[in-house]
Amino acid sequence: MTTGVRRRMGVEERRQQLIGVALDLFSRRSPDEVSIDEIASAAGISRPLVYHYFPGKISLYEAALQRASDDLASRFVEPHEGPLGSRLLRVMRRFFDFVDDHGPGFSALMRGGPAVGSSKTNALVDAVRQAAYVQILSHLKVEDPPARLELVIRSWISLVESTALIWLDGRRIPRGELEVQLVQDFAALAAVSATHDEELGALLRRALKGDPGDGPFTDLAVRLIALASPPAS
């Protein structure tokens, strides 16, 4: 019988391991509830060794947030192929995959967590929002957006965030339905703003051209028409 020998890790490899362990723990419970001792135990090292790589829980939390925010921002990257509604729906599914897998960590990221007030934490959240904003603009093929379009996109991103946070508290609406609803929310916000801005109206018509009959945008139009129609006597 041979005795297993723990492999010694290099500095960067150990740092990445600790970040991964911390992110896993923060994903399952609020970071306020996770101790350095738990992180050390899960990583199979001593508490002092954790402090050798990170000066404290806040710095480790911020490093975990950096990895999480990079992952979350990547969820908005989508090939520019197919109808816009279908693309946004795929983005929403990946976004909610992250929310589902990292519920407490996602809540802590958006609500501040133990690093509330930290300029670095705020910057990470803003970077995710900006990445989402830039991606949506790219799908609309717009480089210099009119003011109302910027308002629509940034408002929608805030709506997606707040909806996900509320959904995590009980998951009372089927996730798939909520993903479709959020895509339709984007179309609805854009349509309302387009009634006040012809440039935005033209842009929206171009973006929605070719949306299939079974797509989320066409489905929204059908539902609105049915809602406006008088009930059959």
Side-chain angles (χ1 to χ4, degrees):
M1 177 180 289
T2 59
T3 302
V5 178
R6 183 180 300 170
R7 184 173 64 85
R8 186 166 185 168
M9 294 185 181
V11 173
E12 186 57 28
E13 187 179 6
R14 178 67 76 184
R15 278 180 56 84
Q16 293 305 316
Q17 182 218 16
L18 285 170
I19 291 170
V21 166
L23 183 58
D24 179 61
L25 291 171
F26 294 152
S27 294
R28 289 185 273 116
R29 286 162 44 218
S30 169
D32 286 318
E33 301 172 0
V34 178
S35 69
I36 287 292
D37 286 331
E38 287 181 86
I39 295 170
S41 176
I45 62 176
S46 66
R47 175 189 175 98
L49 194 54
V50 175
Y51 285 110
H52 175 73
Y53 294 98
F54 295 94
K57 189 169 81 169
I58 295 301
S59 63
L60 180 51
Y61 172 72
E62 289 182 340
L65 281 188
Q66 179 70 68
R67 182 182 290 184
S69 65
D70 290 345
D71 183 2
L72 187 54
S74 73
R75 306 292 172 118
F76 288 90
V77 178
E78 172 69 24
H80 293 194
E81 300 171 359
L84 178 62
S86 300
R87 286 181 249 165
L88 289 180
L89 186 54
R90 288 192 292 270
V91 167
M92 283 297 93
R93 286 171 179 160
R94 288 197 299 272
F95 177 83
F96 272 89
D97 281 344
F98 181 94
V99 173
D100 228 350
D101 293 341
H102 302 280
F106 175 80
S107 295
L109 174 63
M110 294 305 169
R111 289 175 172 148
V116 64
S118 163
S119 58
K120 182 173 182 179
T121 304
N122 293 336
L124 288 174
V125 175
D126 287 342
V128 173
R129 291 169 179 155
Q130 183 62 20
Y133 174 72
V134 169
Q135 282 297 317
I136 299 303
L137 278 183
S138 72
H139 283 282
L140 295 173
K141 300 180 180 178
V142 175
E143 294 183 0
D144 185 19
R148 282 194 175 90
L149 179 58
E150 179 175 1
L151 182 62
V152 164
I153 297 174
R154 294 197 185 279
S155 296
W156 181 69
I157 292 168
S158 296
L159 176 63
V160 170
E161 289 177 11
S162 58
T163 298
L165 287 171
I166 294 169
W167 178 77
L168 279 170
D169 186 16
R171 293 173 165 82
R172 292 175 293 173
I173 299 175
R175 178 185 142 178
E177 292 180 13
L178 202 57
E179 292 164 354
V180 172
Q181 180 181 318
L182 283 167
V183 173
Q184 293 175 337
D185 284 336
F186 177 82
L189 285 169
V192 170
S193 291
T195 64
H196 300 274
D197 188 324
E198 179 52 38
E199 179 186 1
L200 180 54
L203 189 156
L204 188 59
R205 284 190 293 272
R206 185 177 72 243
L208 299 184
K209 185 178 181 180
D211 195 61
D214 59 350
F217 293 156
T218 303
D219 176 64
L220 173 62
V222 170
R223 289 173 183 270
L224 291 175
I225 292 171
L227 184 63
S229 302
S233 56

